[in-house]
Amino acid sequence: MKEIDISALTRYNVQSLTPYSSARDEFSGKEGVFLDANENPFPSAVNRYPDPQQRELKSKFADLRGVHSDQLIIGNGSDEILDLVFRAFCEPGKDFVVTIKPSYGMYKVLANINDVRLTEIALDANFELDPDAILAVAEGAKMIILCSPNNPTGNSLSRKKIIKILEGFNGIVLVDEAYIDFATNPSLVSELKNFQNLMISQTFSKAFGMAGIRVGIGIAHPEIIEVLNRIKPPYNVNAISQEMALNRLAQVDEVASEVTQLKLERSRLINFLEHHKSVSRIYPTDANFILFKVNDANFFYDELVKQGVIIRNRTTAFGCENCLRLSVGTKEENNRFMKVFDNI
Ligand code: PMP
């Protein structure tokens, strides 16, 4: 395994922090009379604090992904995981992080909030990585953030190129795999045994169909997870969300069947767009959305909205001039999109 000095990478004041110890950390048994957490004793579904370490959810998710529980941190959406990584490793006003453009807009927002400089390296015309360009500017950076499959482009980044970056960089390489369950390319989880500097984020918001419960997962070497646990808010995943996520993990066949349906719908939408005279380019996608180019994205966006179909106008994103991003919906929703688009 490629090893890195995680302690040296950690933000100075976080190096000596210990996690807040809650009542439920100090006694995690299930039996007894609980008079330790100043809760209201009258029974209801939610009068008790949730498990701060989300042990059951971690255990089930670890089984699903073939990792160990101590390689997982669970957050209020994967956005919280990304924020925790910035806060645990980057010195505000001093450190810098490297990412790609175009990509998910929250990286910039989180960098700004945490007063961390973000250097964005352009993907090429096919939205593929240039690992040498990234490694050249990442000298001295705390972290490189990659997104695969990438948002808003939809394509998976080359695994070989990501591995080249993992080999050549001694900070953290965070790969955002929010859309991994729609991809033909396998997850990088299998590379965790080879790279201590690899961190992966995944989410219940996409393939699992649970954007509303805000559950995201960070997967990394236990030493990285231990640093993140030092700054994690104690009860960051509420009881209802933990329970609903666990119930969903008991229905993985249903999740898989929905993913299959969405991939079929994705093919149907691509086929429609391919035969449409107003569409000049459709970008390859491994996600549950399709980026495509028209002659005037603002016009098409406005016309679709007028007829009650809302898609995302990405024309201002780097390299995405006149591009629209279409999420794959149900069969009926996609039919509606196609009908309205045809009439414009
Ligand atoms: N990463 C990417 C690439 C995304 O597109 C999104 C949501 N659009 C997220 C992360 C955020 O996911 P979550 O709902 O888990 O915070």
Side-chain angles (χ1 to χ4, degrees):
M1 173 188 274
K2 170 183 171 144
E3 293 187 5
I4 52 164
D5 188 344
I6 290 166
S7 173
L9 273 181
T10 302
R11 182 177 159 191
Y12 181 69
N13 74 312
V14 177
Q15 289 179 4
S16 55
L17 289 185
T18 49
Y20 172 74
S21 180
S22 69
R24 284 289 66 72
D25 284 308
E26 287 167 21
F27 184 88
S28 58
K30 289 213 161 95
E31 298 304 319
V33 174
F34 286 87
L35 303 173
D36 60 347
N38 300 345
E39 295 152 336
N40 181 323
F42 298 110
S44 81
V46 288
N47 66 317
R48 299 293 178 187
Y49 281 102
D51 174 6
Q53 297 303 329
Q54 306 102 19
R55 293 172 183 84
E56 207 178 338
L57 183 52
K58 276 183 190 163
S59 156
K60 292 279 170 7
F61 194 79
D63 288 349
L64 180 73
R65 296 309 199 209
V67 295
H68 295 289
S69 282
D70 63 358
Q71 291 176 281
L72 299 183
I73 180 159
I74 306 199
N76 191 285
S78 50
D79 282 346
E80 185 186 37
I81 303 292
L82 299 173
D83 186 46
L84 288 175
V85 180
F86 269 99
R87 290 200 285 129
F89 292 102
C90 300
E91 206 68 51
K94 184 168 163 251
D95 283 332
F96 76 104
V97 164
V98 177
T99 189
I100 50 176
K101 64 177 177 183
S103 196
Y104 179 42
M106 271 306 276
Y107 309 144
K108 182 79 188 158
V109 171
L110 290 170
N112 287 343
I113 291 170
N114 289 291
D115 195 14
V116 171
R117 195 156 42 85
L118 187 74
T119 306
E120 296 167 296
I121 302 299
L123 295 174
D124 69 16
N126 294 317
F127 295 136
E128 189 46 81
L129 277 180
D130 179 347
D132 297 321
I134 289 183
L135 288 171
V137 296
E139 183 80 42
K142 274 288 168 77
M143 171 163 67
I144 297 174
I145 305 178
L146 303 172
C147 184
S148 183
N150 190 25
N151 179 9
T153 61
N155 60 307
S156 290
L157 303 174
S158 146
R159 189 182 186 91
K160 255 194 181 156
K161 291 179 180 176
I162 296 177
I163 287 175
K164 189 168 183 193
I165 290 172
L166 282 161
E167 284 166 349
F169 183 61
N170 288 324
I172 291 169
V173 180
L174 193 154
V175 183
D176 182 341
E177 290 193 337
Y179 299 98
I180 193 65
D181 299 288
F182 301 103
T184 15
N185 291 9
S187 162
L188 279 158
V189 163
S190 57
E191 294 296 333
L192 285 164
K193 62 181 184 308
N194 301 325
F195 296 99
Q196 196 185 15
N197 57 336
L198 172 61
M199 166 134 198
I200 294 166
S201 61
Q202 297 186 351
T203 180
F204 273 72
S205 299
K206 312 295 176 183
F208 289 92
M210 305 195 99
I213 67 168
R214 313 302 302 125
V215 173
I217 303 101
I219 317 173
H221 189 276
E223 264 188 63
I224 294 184
I225 299 297
E226 189 274 320
V227 174
L228 298 173
N229 275 328
R230 289 182 211 167
I231 64 161
K232 177 184 89 59
Y235 302 110
N236 61 329
V237 184
N238 71 68
I240 299 169
S241 295
Q242 290 191 42
E243 193 180 323
M244 289 189 75
L246 268 169
N247 289 344
R248 194 67 171 143
L249 286 177
Q251 311 167 334
V252 279
D253 292 347
E254 203 171 298
V255 174
S257 134
E258 285 183 13
V259 167
T260 305
Q261 285 176 55
L262 289 170
K263 289 203 277 196
L264 286 171
E265 282 299 302
R266 180 176 73 187
S267 302
R268 204 162 69 88
L269 286 165
I270 290 171
N271 187 48
F272 164 81
L273 294 168
E274 272 171 355
H275 292 93
H276 208 287
K277 60 183 184 319
S278 304
V279 177
S280 55
R281 186 162 181 188
I282 304 157
Y283 293 89
T285 180
D286 241 354
N288 65 337
F289 58 83
I290 304 159
L291 188 76
F292 63 98
K293 201 174 195 126
V294 290
N295 54 3
D296 186 348
N298 293 333
F299 172 76
F300 276 93
Y301 175 79
D302 291 342
E303 289 302 311
L304 284 162
V305 168
K306 274 184 209 160
Q307 297 183 60
V309 176
I310 296 90
I311 67 171
R312 198 86 194 262
N313 186 353
R314 296 280 72 187
T315 190
T316 56
F318 177 86
C320 297
E321 201 184 354
N322 281 320
C323 286
L324 297 167
R325 194 194 70 189
L326 169 67
S327 303
V328 179
T330 61
K331 189 173 188 178
E332 295 70 30
E333 289 171 330
N334 301 331
N335 286 344
R336 177 83 194 283
F337 161 80
M338 292 190 276
K339 194 168 168 217
V340 171
F341 194 80
D342 250 342
N343 285 336
I344 295 173

